[in-house]
Amino acid sequence: MSHPAGPTAPPRRRRAANRQGVAGWLFVSPVLVILGLFLFIPILMALWVSVSDWSSNGSPFDPSVGFVGAENYRAVLGGKGLAGRDFGIAMRNNLYYVLLVVPLQTLIALFLAVMVTRKGLRGKGFFRTAFYFPSVTSSVAITTLWLFLFNASGSVNKALGWLGVHGPNWFADPRGVLGLLLEPLGVHETGALARPGFLGVSAYQWLQGPSVAMCVFILMAIFTTSGTFMLLFMAALQSIGEETEEAGMMDGANAWQRFRHITLPMLKPTLYTVITLGLIGTWQVFDQIAIGSQGAPAKTTLTPAYLSFTKAFNDGEWGRGAAIAFVLFAIIIVMTILQRLVLGSSDFSAMTRRQRRADRAARTRALTHANTNNGGVA
């Protein structure tokens, strides 16, 4: 039986493609409905609350709710009054939290991944489980454990006492760690350093760095997240393949040169993912603060996410609480785009097999040329 040819075949293919498209939309429609009801619609409602004077009485769309425009955003970002000053302090605390947690957890996760994927290492399963275990433990349990460890009479201070060091009352110490270094140099909160600056926070307060209490939360974040990112780096390292490292060895590259010029560039997509997840997680830190300190001491552990919660649910200022949430959302988006620009847009995982071989060969040739210019250091 002959098959229809000519102009009849393309319409059949189009109809088949249309049927597949309809079937695909039918399959994903339940998820779209759920996301719309529980994600997109609440986001739009929160956006309206951030530009209104809703006081949680009745519906936010009630005709009695007034439109105030950017008033809530001005109150938060203006740096004036209690709302503006609290937001500025929370931003300072969270900024130091991000600057310390994201690089350290990324470096530690990469180091652990390289160590547990080395050939000849015994007990790999044990080490992988041990490093990953804190990541699957409840943050409530970890925070409670940290409260006991870093208590004034806790295990950490007892261990420091054996070394002749008098440990501080960690969760009750509002002193900035950089301020402790500046005091012997005669730098104090006087004169121009004491004047309100960006977001209503003085220059000296910006220079103080994270408080002793916030440093405890920084250590906890690194301890609990490095294991998760270690798994991502492990998967990326195992996908590179042994032939790449063997090619570098054949060209006389030592272990550091192979890692720097071959392995690390190929980890760029994973590095981008890890840093992006780290930025999102660190700017949204909430549960550890809510359980461990509630922003104390002296608001040095206050974060924008926790401030948004307290403004809305404790103080009844729902508009300002929603405004803080959207400002935080904008900060995360901007920082994600910036780090994307810094790392570049190359995606090794999206390359074809031929492109991957060509990329590896190019990197190997570049490494060989560098070794030749350096006298063939092995």
Side-chain angles (χ1 to χ4, degrees), residues 33-351:
V33 172
I34 294 174
L35 289 177
L37 289 176
F38 298 102
L39 184 62
F40 297 121
I41 293 179
I43 289 176
L44 294 177
M45 293 176 64
L47 183 60
W48 162 249
V49 170
S50 71
V51 294
S52 69
D53 58 357
W54 184 59
S55 60
S56 75
N57 293 325
S59 171
F61 303 105
D62 191 271
S64 62
V65 178
F67 176 76
V68 298
E71 181 62 31
N72 292 322
Y73 291 91
R74 281 194 293 267
V76 169
L77 298 174
K80 299 178 180 179
L82 184 60
R85 179 174 171 79
D86 284 350
F87 181 74
I89 292 175
M91 283 296 299
R92 180 207 63 179
N93 299 337
N94 214 148
L95 180 61
Y96 278 110
Y97 185 88
V98 172
L99 292 177
L100 290 173
V101 171
V102 174
L104 289 176
Q105 71 183 7
T106 303
L107 292 175
I108 293 175
L110 180 58
F111 174 77
L112 294 177
V114 172
M115 290 297 102
V116 298
T117 53
R118 293 182 62 185
K119 293 182 179 179
L121 177 66
R122 296 182 179 180
K124 289 184 179 180
F126 169 77
F127 288 112
R128 292 175 182 177
T129 303
F131 294 147
Y132 182 65
F133 183 75
S135 302
V136 298
T137 307
S138 169
S139 60
V140 176
I142 292 291
T143 305
T144 305
L145 174 64
W146 238 244
L147 290 173
F148 283 106
L149 291 176
F150 286 89
N151 198 308
S153 58
S155 302
V156 173
N157 279 353
K158 288 185 178 180
L160 292 176
W162 296 337
L163 301 175
V165 178
H166 180 69
N169 190 357
W170 298 88
F171 284 101
D173 196 335
R175 296 175 298 171
V177 292
L178 296 181
L180 295 175
L181 300 177
L182 293 175
E183 285 182 3
L185 301 177
V187 180
H188 301 283
E189 192 173 6
T190 56
L193 293 178
R195 297 171 186 170
F198 181 61
L199 295 178
V201 181
S202 67
Y204 182 79
Q205 289 178 318
W206 283 106
L207 293 174
Q208 272 193 319
S211 66
V212 175
M214 180 57 83
C215 288
V216 179
F217 289 107
I218 290 172
L219 291 175
M220 180 169 58
I222 296 171
F223 175 74
T224 55
T225 56
S226 298
T228 300
F229 297 139
M230 177 196 71
L231 293 183
L232 297 180
F233 281 123
M234 283 174 52
L237 289 171
Q238 293 171 354
S239 67
I240 291 177
E242 297 182 358
E243 67 275 6
T244 304
E245 182 148 343
E246 292 175 356
M249 294 174 65
M250 293 290 293
D251 289 307
N254 57 32
W256 169 246
Q257 290 174 327
R258 294 195 303 271
F259 178 79
R260 178 183 175 185
H261 296 285
I262 298 178
T263 304
L264 194 58
M266 292 182 178
L267 291 177
K268 187 179 291 185
T270 305
L271 191 64
Y272 169 74
T273 302
V274 168
I275 294 178
T276 301
L277 294 176
L279 287 173
I280 295 173
T282 50
W283 276 111
Q284 292 181 339
V285 58
F286 171 81
D287 48 353
Q288 296 91 339
I289 304 300
I291 298 167
S293 66
Q294 296 83 45
K299 300 181 181 179
T300 56
T301 61
L302 186 66
T303 62
Y306 184 72
L307 180 63
S308 174
F309 169 81
T310 56
K311 283 295 179 184
F313 289 92
N314 294 349
D315 301 338
E317 299 177 359
W318 291 84
R320 293 181 180 180
I324 293 173
F326 279 100
V327 170
L328 191 59
F329 172 76
I331 292 172
I332 293 173
I333 294 297
V334 170
M335 294 198 69
T336 302
I337 294 174
L338 288 177
Q339 69 99 5
R340 176 67 169 178
L341 295 176
V342 171
L343 290 179
S345 58
S346 62
D347 190 353
F348 186 77
S349 62
M351 295 181 181

